Amino acid sequence: QVRPVESGGGLVQTGGSLRLSCAASGRTYSNSVLGWFRQAPGKEREFVARCMWSGGITYYADSVKGRFTISRDNTKNTVYLQMNNLKPEDTAVYYCAAGYKMGSSYQYDSWGQGTQVTVSS
């Protein structure tokens, strides 16, 4: 099972940038996926972006499309989330999750501890 560990959160002003990292230990397979989720205070956890470990196919939530970029470095077993033009509404705890694609759905079964991102106005 892949075990993800996030790093890279912090405090940034509106319009600034941050890069989150997710180091994934364990064996990956052709249908392995790593995703980023976030949870703001008082809100449900929401999907942000995902990247297939094999082939690198990516997908984004509409709220971050054009501002966030997910990428992977297979040599380092690490997935990154580059966040540009950050807005106060991006403030949340960001979680990296490992899982797999089954048919047309994605199942996440291993979660990191989360990293706080705070965007000041």
Side-chain angles (χ1 to χ4, degrees), residues 26-83:
R27 185 174 179 178
T28 59
Y29 300 87
S30 61
N31 64 339
S32 294
V33 62
L34 278 177
W36 286 99
F37 294 77
R38 66 187 181 186
Q39 187 167 20
K43 295 187 177 181
E44 293 187 355
R45 186 166 55 194
E46 64 174 358
F47 168 80
V48 174
R50 65 171 178 258
C51 180
M52 293 301 298
W53 202 252
S54 176
I57 296 174
T58 60
Y59 185 81
Y60 299 90
D62 288 343
S63 58
V64 306
K65 202 173 294 183
R67 300 188 297 122
F68 290 11
T69 302
I70 188 171
S71 62
R72 80 200 193 289
D73 184 338
N74 286 9
T75 64
K76 297 181 179 179
N77 274 13
T78 300
V79 170
Y80 303 99
L81 185 68
Q82 177 66 43
M83 306 185 294

